[in-house]
Amino acid sequence: MKRKEILVLFFILAIAAFFRFWHLGITQFITYDQARDFLIIKRMLVDHKLTLVGPTVLIPGVYLPPFYYYSLAPFLMLFRFHPLGADVYTALLGLGAVFIFYLLCREIFNKLTAALSSLVFAVLPVIVSTTRHAWNPNTAHFFSLLFVFFIFKFIKGKNWGWFYAACAVFGFSLNFHFSLLALTPLIVIAFFFVVRKTKNFFPKLIISLFCLLVFISPLFLFEIR
């Protein structure tokens, strides 16, 4: 990026940060899901009771993988278990989503389109409100955009490193909400357009599956235990 583009991007990110962090502690509120998550993380950090399962979903007995708790734990510890730490964590991911959104639009369209659309994305009330409150589905913007960015780079450049990264992000995102399973068709599209045409792709496919399953594996360990 040249200096002018960096300044434009910095300006957009500054606006996004203002809307996500301004008076964050004043508008804060706690729901049942937050209280449940914080108590589980407290047991992990204080009582050293680690967990192999994450938050529950609407179906009784069905759990998400646990890495939402492990990624949130450092922020709660840094803020001495004040709930504001969780909101800061979500807001930072929301700020990162604006950055990824800019890069994705820049790759698909051009710098001007990326700047204008990212500015709208940075101030869109629905997006802003969700990224100011800690709840595992509210992180979906960041992970879905990062996944789409990696898939696009893979289809465009045929570099398997991007596909490995996409599989890892996809597996990690399922720790936050199963709604991100809606991104599965993008992996299927990448497979039929690029992967299946690659010679000796089987070892690479195994690595891709490993990158995906490693972040879901705690659920299998839980069932075995």
Side-chain angles (χ1 to χ4, degrees), residues 96-126:
V98 177
F99 177 69
I100 300 299
F101 187 83
Y102 177 88
L103 295 181
L104 181 61
C105 291
R106 184 175 182 264
E107 287 284 338
I108 298 176
F109 304 107
N110 52 57
K111 297 177 184 178
L112 179 61
T113 303
L116 293 176
S117 57
S118 298
L119 184 60
V120 174
F121 186 79
V123 301
L124 198 65
V126 174

Side-chain angles (χ1 to χ4, degrees), residues 189-202:
I189 292 172
F191 178 84
F192 279 102
F193 279 91
V194 181
V195 176
R196 70 183 182 92
K197 298 179 182 179
T198 304
K199 295 181 179 179
N200 301 321
F201 76 93
F202 186 73

Side-chain angles (χ1 to χ4, degrees), residues 18-223:
F18 173 80
F19 280 101
R20 282 154 181 78
F21 289 99
W22 179 252
H23 286 171
L24 187 60
I26 296 177
T27 60
Q28 184 186 47
F29 63 95
I30 298 178
T31 63
Y32 165 80
D33 286 350
Q34 277 186 305
R36 174 204 63 199
D37 296 342
F38 296 166
L39 284 173
I40 292 173
I41 294 173
K42 176 261 179 185
R43 296 189 190 109
M44 290 166 50
L45 294 174
V46 178
D47 303 329
H48 307 293
K49 295 181 179 179
L50 303 182
T51 179
L52 292 174
V53 295
T56 58
V57 298
L58 294 176
I59 305 173
V62 178
Y63 297 87
L64 297 169
F67 286 103
Y68 172 66
Y69 292 153
Y70 289 100
S71 62
L72 180 57
F75 287 85
L76 283 178
M77 184 168 59
L78 182 64
F79 281 79
R80 298 179 180 271
F81 292 96
H82 193 288
L84 181 62
D87 290 341
V88 170
Y89 169 75
T90 308
L92 285 173
L93 288 180
L95 186 62
V98 177
F99 177 69
I100 300 299
F101 187 83
Y102 177 88
L103 295 181
L104 181 61
C105 291
R106 184 175 182 264
E107 287 284 338
I108 298 176
F109 304 107
N110 52 57
K111 297 177 184 178
L112 179 61
T113 303
L116 293 176
S117 57
S118 298
L119 184 60
V120 174
F121 186 79
V123 301
L124 198 65
V126 174
I127 302 296
V128 171
S129 63
T130 55
T131 53
R132 286 175 60 89
H133 176 61
W135 190 34
N136 49 299
N138 290 350
T139 60
H141 312 111
F142 176 79
F143 292 107
S144 58
L145 286 168
L146 187 61
F147 171 76
V148 172
F149 177 74
F150 286 156
I151 286 291
F152 181 81
K153 294 288 287 186
F154 172 65
I155 294 176
K156 182 180 178 181
K158 311 298 189 297
N159 187 327
W160 274 83
W162 293 113
F163 192 72
Y164 299 152
C167 290
V169 169
F170 183 63
F172 191 72
S173 69
L174 295 180
N175 288 257
F176 292 76
H177 206 260
F178 280 148
S179 63
L180 290 165
L181 284 170
L183 299 172
T184 305
L186 291 179
I187 291 184
V188 176
I189 292 172
F191 178 84
F192 279 102
F193 279 91
V194 181
V195 176
R196 70 183 182 92
K197 298 179 182 179
T198 304
K199 295 181 179 179
N200 301 321
F201 76 93
F202 186 73
K204 298 177 180 178
L205 190 60
I206 295 298
I207 297 174
S208 303
L209 289 174
F210 174 80
C211 292
L212 191 155
L213 294 176
V214 69
F215 292 108
I216 310 175
S217 59
L219 289 181
F220 303 133
L221 296 177
F222 173 78
E223 294 297 337

